[in-house]
Amino acid sequence: MGYSSEEDSEISDSEIDEYEGKTYERLVSGDLKFRNGEKYSCPFCTGKKKKDYNLHNILQHASGVGAAPNRAAKDKATHRALAKHLKNGPANPPKSQPQPQPQPQPQVIAAVEPQPLPNRFEKFVWPWMGVLVNVPTEWKDGRQVGESGNRLKGQLSRFCAQKVIPLWNFRGHTGNAIVEFTKDWNGFRNALAFENYFEAEGSGRRHWKQKQNQGSKLFGWVARTEDYNFPGLIGDHLRKNGDLKTIDDLENERARKNDRLEANLADEIEVKNKHLQELECRYNETTASLEKMMGQREQLLQKYNEEVRKMQQLAHRHSQRIIDENRNLRSELESKISELNARSKQLDDLSEKSGYDRRNLDQEKQKNAIKSSHLQLATVEQQRVDEDVMKLVGVHKREKHAALNKILKLEQQLEAKQTLELEIQQLKGKLEVMKYMPGHEDLESKNKINELSDALQEKIDELDSMESLNQTLVIKESKSNIEMQEARKELENGLLDLSVGRAHIGFKRMGELDLEAISNACRKLSKEDAEVTAAIICSKWEAEIKNPDWHPFRVGMVDGKETEIIDADDAKLQGLKEEHGEEIYALVTKALREINEYNGSTRYPVAELWNFREERKASLKEAVQFVMRQWRMNRRKRQANNSPRRYFLLLCGTLLAVTVSPLVFREHYSYL
């Protein structure tokens, strides 16, 4: 019975094994007939001309088609089933059928005697190679020439040959070539298909040995032990480029490689687990450190808010004190006016009672009238001053309120930024832990990692927007700093105007040598022309201090912290100590420390608010108190000044310039 497919549609590669099993069952049950006595026919190739095979040929045909990579999936499945059935013992006819007794034909049997199939102990040349012989050549230009390796590879493309190497000698092309296949099992199947194809066409190894006149027909087979040990170009090439190995050898080698790979993977997994544990410990430490930092930040914020409240209360008390003093001045002026009015009334009464010395009385009246008019003018000016002071206090309050609002906004933004950074660090830690976390639910883990990645990206975008807003605020803050520097200059000018003699609060130029102290040190050394020597020393060492290439400092531990300290081994400082003594050395090193602390980049002296009495940096509170004391001392002398209003406003303006924006001050009091 011929082969007829139940369905005409093709099958996929994944269905080959299933279809092969069904076909094998049909062959075993006898549903598909492929044997007629000693002749065999392929029930799946009904359209072919050659239908009669012997056992060896039909087995080679079935194995070759089943291993061919370019055949359809259904053809490979059916021919594999046929090859499996033939290998499992269909060579003996069924017991119910009598065996025919043909006449013995030794020569024919010798010609078609099948070779044993490759077994697990048969040695092949590895990497898999095939031998191609009887390649057509011709004599041309004094040497043999033949087809190139690429053309031969194109002819053998159905077997997926990796490379075809023609063999040459001193006469030219030898008519032989080596076909190389890939090193994997697919390459082995392609090599067997290559050999089966040539065996089916009568062009295998045994056909090459048996025929005397081969003609132009190509012969090919898989390289084995015989070819490897064969003397000549073929054997030399095989021994040079390959080794003899059995299938068991290759499987054992593959098993050893797999064992090594498994061991390496186990070691790598152990290393990854250790790394994961380290990451978890690092993550826990970072989380604890961040929580500690957040707690410290909260404490600092509370302290800062408390200091701000204290400063607000102090500023309120100062403003209230100024207002009370102005009220006292106004009450004093009113009492003086009432006294003068009473005096005028007394004089009027005396003038009515007596006309004696009327001229003197009139003159005294005129003087009193002039004084009274002056006092009235002073009262008017005092009222104007009070109004101006109240305006300044109002502007001061508004500016202070705006500054506090800005500080609160910056604090909120800083807190939000730090919270975002903390969340981003936590998300990064979680994401890093999830990447190394072992688990069986891959899809769920990937979804969780994707969610964490999306959340991390959102936090990063939010942080970028906050960074841009923070940059804008930084620009505004820089403008505010410029205004504060102008206010500081106003305070400096005010202190210079108010200072009488050597005041204990003023501005000191940090990093500048004290000429007077150096002169005193030179006098102690009994040097002639101490002033000239001191001037020379100051000029020389001020130039050295301003030199940016000279940096006589080293890093040392001070109170458990790394700090830059004077390098006592510096050659220049050693020379200074030996030439001028310890006192001048101490003055120069003091200036060096000041310039390194206040302006280490440009090395030029800078002005700093200073308490000369205690030799330290003065606070803003001390400067304000000093200005207030100077104002109170000079207030008592206001009558001797031709313009008391101008002097009073100068004091108030100098005081308020510390906190009020200089732009607002100049806008309202430019007439000063």
Side-chain angles (χ1 to χ4, degrees):
M1 175 173 141
Y3 167 71
S4 60
S5 176
E6 295 179 356
E7 53 182 1
D8 297 332
S9 60
E10 277 293 337
I11 62 173
S12 62
D13 291 338
S14 61
E15 298 173 344
I16 288 179
D17 294 336
E18 181 181 358
Y19 196 79
E20 178 184 346
K22 294 180 179 179
T23 307
Y24 180 74
E25 291 177 358
R26 295 181 65 189
L27 289 168
V28 172
S29 64
D31 188 16
L32 295 175
K33 301 296 184 181
F34 60 92
R35 181 175 180 176
N36 184 12
E38 291 295 330
K39 299 294 183 181
Y40 297 87
S41 62
C42 180
F44 311 112
C45 300
T46 55
K48 302 292 183 179
K49 292 181 179 179
K50 187 177 181 181
K51 296 183 180 180
D52 296 332
Y53 298 93
N54 58 22
L55 177 62
H56 180 67
N57 289 338
I58 193 170
L59 182 58
Q60 286 185 341
H61 166 73
S63 300
V65 176
N70 57 346
R71 298 298 293 266
K74 183 183 290 185
D75 291 340
K76 290 195 285 187
T78 54
H79 284 79
R80 287 180 186 178
L82 178 59
K84 181 178 179 182
H85 184 55
L86 290 171
K87 290 178 183 178
N88 289 339
N92 296 325
K95 295 181 179 179
S96 60
Q97 296 180 1
Q99 289 286 344
Q101 298 294 330
Q103 295 295 327
Q105 297 178 359
Q107 294 181 353
V108 176
I109 291 174
V112 297
E113 182 180 356
Q115 296 179 355
L117 294 175
N119 54 58
R120 303 182 66 85
F121 302 102
E122 185 177 6
K123 290 187 177 182
F124 295 87
V125 177
W126 189 87
W128 315 115
M129 297 185 190
V131 178
L132 196 65
V133 297
N134 203 32
V135 178
T137 60
E138 61 178 345
W139 186 263
K140 187 177 181 181
D141 297 332
R143 61 182 301 182
Q144 293 287 340
V145 295
E147 293 184 352
S148 64
N150 289 333
R151 294 194 59 181
L152 291 173
K153 180 181 177 181
Q155 294 176 11
L156 301 175
S157 60
R158 72 177 73 179
F159 306 111
C160 301
Q162 192 174 14
K163 186 189 294 185
V164 178
I165 303 173
L167 300 179
W168 296 70
N169 59 10
F170 64 95
R171 291 190 183 89
H173 200 298
T174 60
N176 301 325
I178 300 297
V179 182
E180 294 184 357
F181 299 92
T182 56
K183 297 181 179 181
D184 53 10
W185 294 115
N186 288 329
F188 182 64
R189 285 195 291 269
N190 293 330
L192 290 180
F194 165 80
E195 184 178 58
N196 293 333
Y197 169 77
F198 281 100
E199 283 289 340
E201 296 292 331
S203 302
R205 180 202 301 270
R206 59 191 182 86
H207 303 97
W208 169 255
K209 290 180 178 180
Q210 293 172 0
K211 291 187 178 181
Q212 298 296 328
N213 185 13
Q214 292 86 2
S216 60
K217 188 177 182 181
L218 289 176
F219 291 79
W221 58 87
V222 177
R224 291 179 173 82
T225 306
E226 181 181 355
D227 305 299
Y228 186 83
N229 297 324
F230 188 78
L233 290 176
I234 295 176
D236 293 341
H237 183 87
L238 294 177
R239 287 189 294 273
K240 183 178 180 181
N241 297 283
D243 295 318
L244 287 175
K245 291 186 180 181
T246 64
I247 295 176
D248 282 345
D249 293 337
L250 291 174
E251 288 185 350
N252 292 333
E253 184 177 353
R254 183 178 180 184
R256 288 194 299 272
K257 289 182 179 179
N258 289 336
D259 293 339
R260 286 198 299 270
L261 180 61
E262 289 176 0
N264 293 333
L265 289 176
D267 294 339
E268 187 174 354
I269 289 171
E270 186 177 356
V271 171
K272 293 290 185 182
N273 289 333
K274 290 182 180 179
H275 183 60
L276 179 60
Q277 292 176 358
E278 292 177 359
L279 285 177
E280 289 178 353
C281 293
R282 248 187 258 169
Y283 170 73
N284 295 331
E285 291 175 0
T286 305
T287 304
S289 176
L290 288 175
E291 290 176 355
K292 184 178 178 181
M293 289 175 61
M294 292 299 292
Q296 293 176 355
R297 189 187 68 82
E298 290 294 334
Q299 293 177 0
L300 291 175
L301 186 60
Q302 291 177 0
K303 291 181 181 179
Y304 174 74
N305 292 334
E306 187 176 353
E307 291 293 332
V308 168
R309 284 195 296 271
K310 289 181 180 179
M311 290 176 63
Q312 290 176 351
Q313 293 173 0
L314 181 62
H316 179 70
R317 286 198 296 269
H318 285 170
S319 301
Q320 190 64 36
R321 189 180 302 168
I322 292 172
I323 293 172
D324 294 340
E325 289 178 355
N326 289 334
R327 288 176 181 173
N328 293 333
L329 287 174
R330 187 165 57 251
S331 61
E332 288 179 7
L333 288 174
E334 290 175 354
S335 63
K336 290 291 184 182
I337 291 173
S338 62
E339 288 177 4
L340 288 174
N341 290 333
R343 182 69 175 169
S344 297
K345 288 181 181 180
Q346 290 177 2
L347 290 175
D348 290 338
D349 293 340
L350 289 174
S351 63
E352 290 176 356
K353 291 180 181 179
S354 174
Y356 179 75
D357 206 2
R358 187 177 294 277
R359 182 180 298 173
N360 293 333
L361 290 174
D362 291 338
Q363 290 177 358
E364 190 173 354
K365 284 182 179 180
Q366 290 177 1
K367 289 180 181 179
N368 288 334
I370 291 171
K371 289 182 180 180
S372 178
S373 64
H374 285 173
L375 288 174
Q376 289 177 357
L377 289 174
T379 302
V380 173
E381 292 295 332
Q382 182 64 39
Q383 291 176 355
R384 291 181 60 185
V385 168
D386 292 342
E387 293 175 358
D388 293 339
V389 170
M390 292 304 295
K391 288 181 181 178
L392 279 175
V393 171
V395 172
H396 184 192
K397 288 182 178 180
R398 289 193 297 272
E399 290 285 333
K400 189 183 300 180
H401 184 68
L404 289 175
N405 288 337
K406 184 186 291 185
I407 290 171
L408 289 175
K409 254 185 212 179
L410 288 173
E411 288 176 355
Q412 292 173 357
Q413 291 171 359
L414 178 61
E415 183 176 3
K417 179 182 176 183
Q418 291 177 347
T419 304
L420 268 179
E421 290 177 349
L422 177 60
E423 291 178 357
I424 287 172
Q425 289 297 329
Q426 290 177 346
L427 285 175
K428 284 183 178 179
K430 290 181 180 178
L431 185 59
E432 192 70 21
V433 170
M434 287 300 298
K435 286 182 180 178
Y436 292 98
M437 187 69 72
H440 300 287
E441 300 177 359
D442 295 337
L443 182 59
E444 186 174 338
S445 299
K446 289 181 180 179
N447 292 334
K448 193 167 184 180
I449 289 174
N450 292 333
E451 291 176 2
L452 289 175
S453 300
D454 296 338
L456 179 61
Q457 187 62 39
E458 291 178 1
K459 295 295 182 183
I460 291 174
D461 295 339
E462 187 176 351
L463 181 60
D464 292 339
S465 62
M466 188 169 290
E467 286 287 349
S468 62
L469 179 60
N470 188 31
Q471 188 66 26
T472 305
L473 293 176
V474 167
I475 295 172
K476 292 183 179 180
E477 182 67 17
S478 64
K479 293 181 180 178
S480 300
N481 288 334
I482 293 172
E483 292 181 357
M484 291 301 296
Q485 291 297 328
E486 293 179 357
R488 183 183 177 89
K489 290 181 181 179
E490 292 290 338
L491 175 61
E492 182 179 356
N493 295 332
L495 286 175
L496 291 175
D497 292 340
L498 290 176
S499 297
V500 178
R502 185 172 179 82
H504 75 284
I505 298 295
F507 280 89
K508 177 184 177 182
R509 292 179 62 79
M510 308 305 292
E512 191 173 64
L513 291 174
D514 190 350
L515 180 60
E516 184 178 354
I518 293 178
S519 299
N520 294 333
C522 290
R523 291 191 190 96
K524 291 179 183 178
L525 295 175
S526 301
K527 292 185 178 180
E528 298 180 358
D529 298 330
E531 288 78 7
V532 176
T533 304
I536 293 173
I537 293 173
C538 283
S539 176
K540 175 184 176 181
W541 285 98
E542 280 182 353
E544 292 290 349
I545 291 171
K546 293 177 182 178
N547 183 13
D549 296 329
W550 185 47
H551 192 76
F553 293 92
R554 62 181 178 84
V555 178
M557 299 298 293
V558 178
D559 296 333
K561 296 181 180 179
E562 291 187 353
T563 310
E564 283 191 336
I565 59 177
I566 294 293
D567 186 6
D569 297 332
D570 185 77
K572 292 184 179 180
L573 294 179
Q574 289 287 343
L576 173 66
K577 183 187 290 186
E578 293 175 358
E579 185 177 358
H580 300 291
E582 289 285 345
E583 189 172 354
I584 295 178
Y585 171 81
L587 292 172
V588 172
T589 53
K590 179 182 177 182
L592 274 171
R593 283 191 293 269
E594 291 175 352
I595 202 69
N596 191 53
E597 179 181 358
Y598 286 90
N599 192 9
S601 58
T602 59
R603 309 284 296 257
Y604 281 94
V606 294
E608 180 62 53
L609 196 62
W610 197 257
N611 188 330
F612 293 98
R613 182 179 298 167
E614 300 179 7
E615 284 298 324
R616 61 174 175 81
K617 181 179 177 181
S619 64
L620 186 61
K621 177 181 178 181
E622 291 175 335
V624 172
Q625 291 175 350
F626 174 73
V627 171
M628 291 298 298
R629 282 196 297 270
Q630 290 295 109
W631 175 73
R632 291 192 191 98
M633 291 173 59
N634 293 320
R635 185 183 61 183
R636 301 185 183 93
K637 303 175 183 179
R638 64 185 180 277
Q639 292 181 354
N641 195 341
N642 293 329
S643 181
R645 172 179 172 271
R646 179 180 180 85
Y647 183 74
F648 179 75
L649 287 179
L650 177 61
L651 289 174
C652 294
T654 306
L655 174 62
L656 294 177
V658 179
T659 52
V660 180
S661 173
L663 300 176
V664 177
F665 181 81
R666 286 197 294 270
E667 180 180 354
H668 292 284
Y669 301 101
S670 58
Y671 57 85
L672 292 176

